[in-house]
Amino acid sequence: LKPDVLAGLLGKLNPEGLGEMLAKLTPEGLLEFLRGLSPDLLADTLNKLKPSDLADTLKQLVPDGVAEVLGKLSPGDLGDVLTTLEPDALGEILTTLSPDALAQTLEILSPDDLGEVLKSLSSEDLGEVLTALSQDALARTLGRLSSKDLGDILTNLSQEDLGEVLTALSPEALTQILIMLSSEDLGEVLTSLSSEDLGYVLIKLPPAALGQVLSTLSPEDLGKVLTNLQSGDLGKVLTSLPPMTLAQILSKLSASDLGYVLTELSPEDLSLTLNKLSQASLASTLGNLEYQDLVSVLEKLPLSNREQILQSLSLAEQVKLLTRLGPTQRSRLFPNVTEEEYSQMLTSLTAEELA
């Protein structure tokens, strides 16, 4: 039939009649029929179908046929077709596509329709779709989403799929994706990861990006993230941060989280972390620790490192630290500071300096 005649015949069919007609065709005949329609007539035909008939029509096609038919549509028409489908049917159709066909289909969609399509999927289907994409296709797909849609989509993934998605990204793409997220969504994403995947993701980030990501988190989420890291990964994360960023990160932690983080570090990483801090930041960090954590932190360090830390503080901060420790811990942790020397240090300061 000529295109105009075919268009006229299809136009006379109501949605139920059109669905019944297409259902009578074999998969091969259906593909041949749809293949022969112009892009506009194809869009009109598919959009005229009831959602259930549309799903049956697409599912009747072999995967390559689905990709071919959907690939003929304009971005807007493709968005209309896919967003008409029920979530289960949409998931079933997308998960039958090959990785290349899936990537091509998603790339045709506008950013808004892409977000709507991915958000409508179940957590299981969403994970299957995203993990099927190549590294480049995954980065392009996530990078086209709005900040809100990206957050909704990532937080809908299972822990396993979220880890697989984020660890598959290049450092550059991972940086872009995490920085796009709101503070709330970023916190939910990072705190949802397993300890192993969390370490892999954070260590993969360049130092500046790592600092930006951690600084964006709320104090509560920051504490959850750092305390969820394995000891070795925690050391790599903290020692890779620029000094000013490190000080800012430590200052946001609660006393209990700060104590946990510092006492979890190896003696070497603890020394490297504390040595990166300025005099004021070091004094503030030690001052924010609960008493037992302060003792535990100092105990982990060799005597030479403890003395180095003490000498890096101002005289007033030295006295505050020594006074807080009390006679027993003071003599044990800083044996080279005699009680006479401590008394002289104490009397050399004014009340205002000790305040």
Side-chain angles (χ1 to χ4, degrees):
L1 294 176
K2 293 183 179 180
D4 57 338
V5 175
L6 181 59
L9 290 175
L10 293 175
K12 292 180 180 179
L13 292 172
N14 60 30
E16 292 78 7
L18 179 59
E20 291 173 1
M21 184 200 80
L22 295 181
K24 293 177 180 178
L25 299 176
T26 65
E28 295 77 12
L30 177 61
L31 177 59
E32 192 64 29
F33 172 73
L34 297 177
R35 183 184 282 157
L37 300 179
S38 68
D40 287 344
L41 186 53
L42 174 62
D44 290 342
T45 300
L46 295 179
N47 283 320
K48 188 174 184 179
L49 291 167
K50 297 188 300 182
S52 58
D53 289 336
L54 174 61
D56 290 340
T57 297
L58 293 178
K59 285 189 282 187
Q60 190 178 350
L61 297 169
V62 294
D64 289 345
V66 175
E68 180 182 346
V69 169
L70 296 180
K72 289 182 63 175
L73 299 172
S74 68
D77 288 333
L78 178 60
D80 290 340
V81 167
L82 294 185
T83 54
T84 298
L85 293 167
E86 293 297 323
D88 288 346
L90 176 62
E92 185 177 345
I93 290 166
L94 291 182
T95 54
T96 63
L97 298 177
S98 69
D100 287 344
L102 176 62
Q104 291 169 4
T105 300
L106 296 180
E107 287 180 7
I108 294 173
L109 291 167
S110 69
D112 287 344
D113 285 337
L114 175 62
E116 287 304 311
V117 165
L118 294 180
K119 286 193 298 183
S120 70
L121 294 173
S122 67
S123 177
E124 183 179 355
D125 287 338
L126 176 62
E128 190 171 344
V129 165
L130 293 183
T131 56
L133 296 173
S134 68
Q135 183 186 68
D136 289 343
L138 176 62
R140 288 195 301 271
T141 298
L142 296 180
R144 294 175 59 220
L145 296 167
S146 68
S147 173
K148 184 178 185 308
D149 285 346
L150 178 63
D152 291 341
I153 288 162
L154 292 183
T155 54
N156 189 33
L157 288 168
S158 68
Q159 182 185 68
E160 182 179 355
D161 288 334
L162 177 61
E164 187 172 345
V165 166
L166 294 184
T167 56
L169 295 169
S170 68
E172 296 75 19
L174 180 61
T175 298
Q176 177 193 359
I177 297 307
L178 294 183
I179 289 176
M180 282 176 63
L181 294 170
S182 67
S183 174
E184 182 179 354
D185 286 336
L186 178 62
E188 186 172 350
V189 165
L190 294 183
T191 56
S192 297
L193 289 169
S194 68
S195 179
E196 183 179 358
D197 286 338
L198 175 61
Y200 188 90
V201 165
L202 294 183
I203 293 169
K204 201 173 188 180
L205 295 171
L210 173 61
Q212 184 174 352
V213 166
L214 293 180
S215 298
T216 302
L217 295 171
S218 68
E220 181 181 1
D221 285 337
L222 177 62
K224 290 179 181 178
V225 167
L226 293 183
T227 56
N228 188 35
L229 286 169
Q230 297 173 359
S231 179
D233 291 340
L234 177 61
K236 291 176 183 177
V237 166
L238 293 184
T239 57
S240 70
L241 291 171
M244 290 184 63
T245 307
L246 174 62
Q248 179 189 8
I249 296 301
L250 295 180
S251 69
K252 287 179 67 175
L253 295 173
S254 66
S256 59
D257 286 340
L258 177 62
Y260 180 90
V261 165
L262 294 184
T263 54
E264 273 295 296
L265 294 173
S266 67
E268 181 181 3
D269 287 336
L270 178 59
S271 295
L272 289 172
T273 298
L274 296 179
N275 287 339
K276 293 180 76 169
L277 299 175
S278 66
Q279 181 186 94
S281 296
L282 176 60
S284 175
T285 299
L286 296 177
N288 288 337
L289 288 169
E290 295 174 351
Y291 177 79
Q292 191 53 54
D293 288 330
L294 173 63
V295 173
S296 298
V297 165
L298 294 175
E299 281 178 333
K300 294 192 77 168
L301 299 171
L303 176 59
S304 60
N305 286 38
R306 293 200 296 269
E307 292 179 335
Q308 181 183 351
I309 287 174
L310 186 65
Q311 293 303 317
S312 68
L313 299 173
S314 67
L315 179 60
E317 293 298 343
Q318 289 182 40
V319 171
K320 289 178 183 178
L321 175 60
L322 294 172
T323 301
R324 189 178 178 203
L325 289 173
T328 302
Q329 296 291 4
R330 186 165 61 237
S331 62
R332 187 173 70 85
L333 296 171
F334 296 99
N336 294 329
V337 179
T338 66
E339 283 302 300
E340 182 180 355
E341 289 173 329
Y342 167 68
S343 296
Q344 290 175 352
M345 295 166 66
L346 189 59
T347 56
S348 68
L349 297 172
T350 65
E352 290 75 13
E353 290 174 313
L354 286 172

